[in-house]
Amino acid sequence: MSRWRKSSYSGSDGNCVEVGRGVGIRDSKAPSVELPLTAHQWAPLLRLILGSSCN
């Protein structure tokens, strides 16, 4: 991934998740480790995350 975006829900304590164009995710405290995802993998993961935040 070449461009990463920090979650707007990230606190100022440095605990955050970043999403990369491409698609991928990583922990900002361990940026050398990233989880690459295809668009087909990303869509259900995002639905799961968004659905669980409504509970």
Side-chain angles (χ1 to χ4, degrees):
M1 302 307 123
S2 58
R3 294 189 52 189
W4 292 92
R5 181 179 163 269
K6 189 185 333 184
S7 168
S8 60
Y9 290 97
S10 298
S12 58
D13 59 0
N15 293 324
C16 64
V17 172
E18 297 177 322
V19 177
R21 290 197 184 270
V23 167
I25 57 175
R26 70 180 183 182
D27 182 337
S28 63
K29 291 189 286 184
S32 62
V33 179
E34 56 187 62
L35 176 63
L37 300 169
T38 66
H40 291 294
Q41 294 167 320
W42 175 250
L45 176 62
L46 187 57
R47 280 194 299 273
L48 179 68
I49 292 168
L50 293 174
S52 66
S53 67
C54 296
N55 296 329

